Amino acid sequence: MSTPTTPTPVDVLVVGGGIGGLSTAFALSREGLRVRVLEQAAELGEVGAGIQLAPNCTRILDDYGLLEEATSLGVLPRSMVMRDALDGSELTRLDLIDLQRRYGFPYMVIHRGDLHALFLRACRRAGVDLVTSAKVTGYENTGAGARVTLADGRTDQARIVIAADGLHSVARKLLVDDEPVSSAYVAYRGTVPIDQVAPERNVDLSEVSVHVGPRCHFVLYGLRGGELLNQVAVFESPKARAGEEDWGTPDELDDAFAAACPEVRAGIPLMWRDRWWRMYDRDPIMTWVHGDIALLGDAAHPPLQYLAQGAIMAIEDGWVLARHVAARRAADGAIDWPGVLTAYEAVRPEHCRRVLLTARDWGDLWHLDGPRRLRRNAILRARDVYDYSFTEWLYGPTALTPEEEPPMFTPIPLDSAEVPALSRRTR
């Protein structure tokens, strides 16, 4: 990694060294471009725990020649199971072995740090210039491309600047005057060695498990070949709803899951209690390009996590961008960059808009209470295990043009559910 005072010329600057930034840098370097990544931290790394990679992402890893390495680091679960967080009963499941047959690529779970390190190694092999301690505070277009200004006063420039600078993106302000939207939900994580888990819990590491409950849910699955257990506990904070600044605290964690089934309550003591993640997204925007500056990843489309597509969308962004570079290179090697950015902006914002809004709706569905919870449960129990009508728009090949974007699913109204157990009093 370098910290140059006089940067060598590059074709593309990528601002942000997270999964989205590194995967995009690697994708563009495969097209023969000189790429530099500017990361504000002193070291390139990734915090967090597990991450889920659906077939629309593992398909891209395969195209990059990285799927085998990723598979060696992660886990390929056999099923995804949704259960009720109060009574523990099964609601629905996906057969992930059949899912792989349908979409051609596996559903994988992997440690976020391992996925980041995989892309970091790929970037180093590809000769990407990786610059740390480089906090970008400003962006501007020039006559020959775009320029960034760093916190220490230095500048850097390239033909194209890709802003993968996250939820609090500086570049996004060039396009829209908005702020992150708080969901009032908070996530606790707890990734622990499997031998620290009580044997009586009988955790099945062949599945991704999610328990959905009133204003809360709980996820668990294995990592690193089953050596680790990854757990995520998410709940709505009463303090956030009341407007308090100190919200999502451990006392709220305990209260949120006090009525959960024994399987969920057994996991709460293993959660990390010294840190938690407040959950924000932003409203969708359809303009991602400002001259020769383009948004990517969470800078463009930070989602709530309910569809497990946040990092995947960023990886897809970079793959689409690189494919359009390849399609718009002339015989002499010149790239039609206006055409590339126009094609990128023509397809990605609409797909990501759908994901952002569906993630919000999916989170609402997970967290229902009272009679609406029972109606949701009835609809989920009636679903056939091999019904893929709700995943076709998401898990298929990533669209390169608007015409390739598949149609959305048709929601099932809650009121259509027959719940004989509902009495007049509970209605």
Side-chain angles (χ1 to χ4, degrees):
M1 288 174 283
S2 60
T3 53
T5 54
T6 306
T8 55
V10 291
D11 301 303
V12 180
L13 280 177
V14 177
V15 179
I19 289 171
L22 291 185
S23 63
T24 298
F26 175 65
L28 294 174
S29 71
R30 295 176 76 231
E31 299 303 328
L33 298 175
R34 298 169 299 171
V35 184
R36 176 177 298 125
V37 174
L38 302 178
E39 166 56 37
Q40 66 178 348
E43 295 182 3
L44 282 160
E46 186 67 70
V47 297
I51 188 171
Q52 301 179 49
L53 303 180
N56 56 316
C57 184
T58 54
R59 180 181 292 106
I60 292 174
L61 293 179
D62 182 69
D63 182 56
Y64 288 165
L66 299 175
L67 181 57
E68 184 176 351
E69 183 180 358
T71 301
S72 73
L73 299 169
V75 172
L76 300 182
R78 298 184 61 84
S79 59
M80 180 184 295
V81 185
M82 180 174 285
R83 298 181 172 93
D84 187 283
L86 296 185
D87 62 27
S89 63
E90 181 171 326
L91 302 178
T92 191
R93 67 171 55 221
L94 279 174
D95 180 336
L96 298 180
I97 304 303
D98 189 71
L99 187 89
Q100 179 172 349
R101 285 194 290 267
R102 183 174 188 86
Y103 295 110
F105 296 91
Y107 197 104
M108 178 187 303
V109 290
I110 188 171
H111 197 288
R112 183 177 288 269
D114 291 343
L115 182 64
H116 183 273
L118 179 150
F119 280 120
L120 180 58
R121 289 190 295 272
C123 283
R124 285 172 171 155
R125 292 193 299 267
V128 173
D129 186 14
L130 302 166
V131 181
T132 55
S133 301
K135 180 178 175 61
V136 172
T137 57
Y139 296 76
E140 61 180 319
N141 286 291
T142 68
R147 178 187 300 120
V148 299
T149 301
L150 277 63
D152 61 6
R154 290 180 296 154
T155 62
D156 203 348
Q157 61 187 7
R159 178 64 187 84
I160 296 295
V161 171
I162 304 300
D165 52 350
L167 173 69
H168 300 286
S169 170
V170 174
R172 185 180 174 107
K173 296 183 183 298
L174 298 171
L175 298 163
V176 60
D177 183 18
D178 71 344
E179 295 294 334
V181 177
S182 173
S183 68
Y185 276 78
V186 61
Y188 277 71
R189 295 182 170 90
T191 301
V192 297
I194 194 65
D195 59 13
Q196 293 184 16
V197 179
E200 58 268 22
R201 285 188 66 188
N202 195 29
V203 175
D204 185 353
L205 295 182
S206 73
E207 66 178 34
V208 175
S209 172
V210 55
H211 285 77
V212 295
R215 294 171 296 282
C216 68
H217 72 268
F218 186 82
V219 180
L220 65 84
Y221 51 83
L223 292 173
R224 291 181 178 161
E227 295 178 1
L228 298 177
L229 178 66
N230 184 68
Q231 299 186 133
V232 186
V234 176
F235 61 91
E236 184 184 48
S237 163
K239 293 179 183 177
R241 288 297 183 202
E244 299 181 27
E245 292 188 7
D246 183 23
W247 58 276
T249 48
D251 59 304
E252 290 194 306
L253 167 69
D254 294 332
D255 289 345
F257 291 94
C261 62
E263 296 85 355
V264 171
R265 291 201 309 273
I268 300 302
L270 294 179
M271 309 311 293
W272 301 328
R273 290 176 171 255
D274 59 341
R275 52 193 145 159
W276 50 89
W277 288 260
R278 295 171 177 176
M279 293 172 56
Y280 294 85
D281 67 356
R282 286 190 190 245
D283 292 330
I285 58 173
M286 303 306 288
T287 302
W288 293 8
V289 175
H290 178 73
D292 292 314
I293 302 165
L295 303 182
L296 183 141
D298 280 358
H301 49 75
L304 298 177
Q305 90 286 22
Y306 301 106
L307 293 177
Q309 287 282 311
I312 294 175
M313 285 192 290
I315 292 169
E316 286 183 309
D317 289 346
W319 182 82
V320 168
L321 196 63
R323 288 293 300 273
H324 285 299
V325 166
R328 288 164 176 78
R329 181 185 287 112
D332 63 358
I335 296 170
D336 172 18
W337 279 110
V340 169
L341 296 183
T342 297
Y344 171 70
E345 191 177 55
V347 66
R348 292 304 296 161
E350 171 57 18
H351 175 81
C352 295
R353 181 192 70 83
R354 294 178 178 187
V355 175
L356 261 65
L357 297 182
T358 304
R360 288 178 177 178
D361 290 343
W362 198 227
D364 290 342
L365 184 72
W366 282 17
H367 299 140
L368 293 175
D369 197 0
R372 289 169 62 80
R373 163 182 162 257
L374 300 180
R375 292 186 183 280
R376 175 205 64 199
N377 288 0
I379 289 173
L380 291 173
R381 288 190 178 109
R383 174 190 164 270
D384 187 278
V385 171
Y386 302 104
D387 176 8
Y388 296 107
S389 58
F390 294 98
T391 59
E392 295 286 59
W393 71 282
L394 199 57
Y395 291 170
T398 302
L400 288 169
T401 66
E403 295 75 23
E404 293 179 359
E405 188 69 30
M408 284 290 288
F409 63 91
T410 302
I412 300 174
L414 276 178
D415 290 344
S416 68
E418 293 290 337
V419 188
L422 279 179
S423 66
R424 291 184 182 274
R425 183 172 58 83
T426 58
R427 286 177 190 271

